[in-house]
Amino acid sequence: MLPNNSPWLKQLNRTRAVVSINANLKVDVVIVGGGIAGVVSAFFILRDTDMTVSLIEADKIAHGATGHNAGQITSYFERPLSELVKEFGLSLAIEGQRSIEYGWTLLDQIIVETGTKAPVHRFTGYAGLSTLEQVLLHLKDNSYRIEGGLNPESMVIADQWEYLKDIPKGFKDLYTIAPQKDLLELLETNNADYIAALSSQKGCMNSALFSEELLRFVITTYKDRFSFYEGSPVRTVRLKKNDATLDVLSFHVEAKKIVLCTNGFENFSIINEVGTEIDTKFHHSIVGRIGYMSGYIEPLNNPPTAINYFLKTHNKSGDPTGEDYFYLTRRPHEHEGKDSYNLVCAGGPEKVLPNGATYSRGHYYSEDVKDLIEKSLQHNYGKYSKEQPAFAFSWHGLMGYTPNGIRRIGPEPCNPVLLYNLGCNGVGILPSIYGGKRISQFIRGERMQLSVFDPHDQG
Ligand SMILES: Cc1cc2nc3c(=O)[nH]c(=O)nc-3n(C[C@H](O)[C@H](O)[C@H](O)COP(=O)(O)OP(=O)(O)OC[C@H]3O[C@@H](n4cnc5c(N)ncnc54)[C@H](O)[C@@H]3O)c2cc1C
């Protein structure tokens, strides 16, 4: 058994003492949860309004999913675009996709405006496909992207692939053909199962370091209007007509708006004193999945990349078999005080957290999961060799999946004093950033268009 050892938290080199809430508080906006969603929401609200804001975190800033992810910046939903089109119609689905892609622009804006130094690496990343079903699904998504006015992702298909003839003629402009060895090269694999490669803009970052740096900017820039507390779990949220109170440790916080950025896993109750009950439905509608990752250090001999591998098998059971999907990132990483290293991280195995079960970041990481990741690296990543150094890091984190796989961003229909920017859903860095901006627009009172992110009316 291995300890949960995240490379992102190690890079924080944190020395700040935890300061818990120590008095009653009255602010305009209280944000619950200090992951990337909470910190970015605080930034945009403070930047775009003159309100007072307090950020309240149960543990430490960025120690949740934000400190235990793969750190891949990518702009897809956890569901195919074609499914979103079916559920919401073309225009809303495309607008949702465009919003997530706008997260890139917002990320750039934040970096430029705040001087955040946490490295962000940008590059063209790849996804390897191995079945006709996967190829057709991505081609269909691409056709919707074009119909909706978005750029398609480029797809290369192996010229000798036996099912090339089964691709409908209508898709012929959506891909190019090349010798399989060319696309295997893009995918950095020797595994001949891969018969197509998608490419798109991707990136890598340490979202925990980014959140810490952004928090530092917020603390210094808005010191008259901003406060934050760690080690301060919120126990109860009591919603009234125009404001709310929170019980935190033995203190009360009063606010006109509450923004929940708790990922989905919260140990508090919500009492709506002026409308439909929110609490239980909210808690039960989010499913937890534990994601497992490992990473090793190597010399800085390859550029940064992010590659997703869609395997031939498709296993969505709760066991961490890792048989259906595997992904890796490679990025420069400071190690032993020097910048001359890469960190290669790989993940894929997941486990569903049974309803009612508790997840602890302190749980150990089993050797079996680590072996699975090692096997996946051997089968898929051509640059991996048996002589590779042992994993320097093995870690896990919790993802909250909303029922439709889309982040919830916006006011609670049963009581708009409460807003959400939550639902980790596996891919959450850009959605959290976009969510922070959208939340600030709601709080400013802007008239917002309908979106796929709107919380459902549970009433
Ligand atoms: C293994 C793994 C791999 C991932 N890989 C990627 C990836 O490659 N790319 C990507 O885009 N996304 C990825 N994600 C998802 C991404 O990390 C998250 O979507 C993102 O970090 C979510 O941030 P958040 O702020 O919403 O949640 P979190 O970072 O989890 O923050 C929520 C915070 O709320 C606090 N909180 C909860 N309850 C309370 C309470 N009652 N009172 C006070 N505070 C409370 C928690 O302590 C926590 O700090 C991955 C996630 C995991 C777990």
Side-chain angles (χ1 to χ4, degrees):
M1 297 293 245
L2 305 160
N4 188 3
N5 177 20
S6 152
W8 322 132
L9 296 186
K10 187 169 179 218
Q11 276 190 325
L12 293 184
N13 291 327
R14 198 190 136 109
T15 51
R16 192 179 62 239
V18 167
V19 175
S20 301
I21 189 165
N22 47 22
N24 292 338
L25 201 64
K26 193 168 177 179
V27 285
D28 294 320
V29 182
V30 64
I31 296 170
V32 184
I36 188 168
V39 176
V40 172
S41 300
F43 167 73
F44 281 119
I45 296 167
L46 287 159
R47 190 195 73 170
D48 298 344
T49 75
D50 55 7
M51 295 181 182
T52 51
V53 176
S54 192
L55 176 62
I56 299 189
E57 164 56 46
D59 186 341
K60 289 182 193 154
I61 296 294
H63 277 52
T66 300
H68 292 89
N69 56 20
Q72 184 183 148
I73 315 174
T74 187
S75 51
Y76 59 83
F77 283 98
E78 283 283 279
R79 284 169 69 199
L81 184 61
S82 51
E83 278 188 22
L84 300 190
V85 171
K86 214 187 250 173
E87 184 176 339
F88 296 100
L90 182 72
S91 123
L92 272 188
I94 291 288
E95 210 37 57
Q97 181 63 43
R98 190 173 279 125
S99 303
I100 299 300
E101 290 174 20
Y102 178 52
W104 283 106
T105 308
L106 293 171
L107 175 60
D108 285 344
Q109 258 182 30
I110 296 173
I111 291 169
V112 169
E113 286 178 26
T114 65
T116 303
K117 293 276 184 300
V120 173
H121 304 281
R122 270 183 190 232
F123 42 77
T124 300
Y126 301 97
L129 310 180
S130 54
T131 67
L132 178 63
E133 193 192 6
Q134 292 164 7
V135 168
L136 294 182
L137 189 68
H138 283 90
L139 286 171
K140 197 166 163 195
D141 283 0
N142 256 343
S143 68
Y144 280 128
R145 288 181 68 93
I146 291 175
E147 199 181 335
L150 297 174
N151 289 329
E153 294 188 331
S154 83
M155 189 191 287
V156 193
I157 301 182
D159 54 1
Q160 300 296 322
W161 182 40
E162 59 180 318
Y163 295 113
L164 199 53
K165 60 180 179 341
D166 296 324
I167 298 179
K169 296 249 172 320
F171 289 152
K172 75 175 178 0
D173 296 333
L174 298 179
Y175 61 92
T176 53
I177 297 177
Q180 188 183 28
K181 72 170 181 29
D182 290 3
L183 61 98
L184 295 186
E185 208 170 294
L186 294 179
L187 298 169
E188 302 193 22
T189 186
N190 304 318
N191 185 340
D193 280 355
Y194 297 105
I195 43 68
L198 280 166
S199 43
S200 60
Q201 181 180 195
K202 293 201 178 184
C204 277
M205 73 192 290
N206 175 345
S207 57
L209 190 59
F210 171 82
S211 302
E212 263 291 344
E213 292 212 358
L214 183 56
L215 179 76
R216 215 169 298 152
F217 172 86
V218 165
I219 294 168
T220 45
T221 311
Y222 302 106
K223 52 180 173 300
D224 303 341
R225 293 194 283 134
F226 178 68
S227 57
F228 82 101
Y229 301 95
E230 298 176 292
S232 302
V234 170
R235 238 178 27 251
T236 314
V237 173
R238 203 175 292 276
L239 303 172
K240 299 173 198 154
K241 187 152 182 284
N242 297 314
D243 55 14
T245 53
L246 280 76
D247 297 331
V248 193
L249 299 177
S250 54
F251 302 99
H252 301 295
V253 180
E254 279 179 58
K256 293 190 192 112
K257 296 282 181 198
I258 296 188
V259 187
L260 287 188
C261 298
T262 47
N263 186 341
F265 296 90
E266 61 303 302
N267 299 305
F268 56 85
S269 44
I270 303 170
I271 300 160
N272 187 13
E273 292 187 351
V274 288
T276 315
E277 188 205 345
I278 296 168
D279 195 10
T280 43
K281 290 173 197 154
F282 170 73
H283 282 252
H284 292 164
S285 68
I286 300 216
V287 175
R289 273 178 185 272
I290 307 170
Y292 297 86
M293 311 223 41
S294 286
Y296 62 88
I297 305 281
E298 62 170 20
L300 187 70
N301 49 13
N302 287 296
T305 193
I307 311 175
N308 296 355
Y309 299 94
F310 292 92
L311 313 190
K312 276 192 164 163
T313 47
H314 195 82
N315 184 324
K316 273 286 168 204
S317 72
D319 297 324
T321 61
E323 278 175 13
D324 60 336
Y325 179 62
F326 171 71
Y327 55 94
L328 72 82
T329 57
R330 186 178 59 223
R331 72 197 71 191
H333 188 81
E334 185 201 298
H335 176 60
E336 293 173 340
K338 294 192 205 121
D339 287 332
S340 49
Y341 293 94
N342 264 334
L343 172 64
V344 180
C345 301
E350 287 183 5
K351 190 177 185 177
V352 169
L353 188 71
N355 208 350
T358 47
Y359 164 82
S360 161
R361 275 170 221 153
H363 280 163
Y364 281 86
Y365 185 111
S366 96
E367 293 278 352
D368 292 352
V369 177
K370 193 196 80 172
D371 292 347
L372 263 173
I373 291 186
E374 200 163 350
K375 228 182 263 164
S376 298
L377 277 164
Q378 283 163 11
H379 287 159
N380 297 290
Y381 183 43
K383 293 192 165 68
Y384 188 76
S385 76
K386 285 209 167 112
E387 287 77 53
Q388 216 75 55
F391 291 136
F393 301 98
S394 284
W395 68 102
H396 54 78
L398 189 59
M399 300 176 271
Y401 276 77
T402 53
N404 67 1
I406 300 176
R407 196 170 185 86
R408 268 184 214 177
I409 307 168
E412 162 62 56
C414 297
N415 190 331
V417 165
L418 179 69
L419 296 99
Y420 306 111
N421 179 8
L422 56 72
C424 167
N425 287 318
V427 177
I429 293 177
L430 290 179
S432 296
I433 293 173
Y434 169 70
K437 171 69 182 164
R438 191 170 168 85
I439 285 293
S440 78
Q441 292 174 290
F442 277 112
I443 289 195
R444 271 162 63 97
E446 283 183 36
R447 235 180 117 84
M448 305 295 287
Q449 301 286 334
L450 272 183
S451 89
V452 296
F453 307 100
D454 296 340
H456 292 257
D457 187 342
Q458 301 176 44

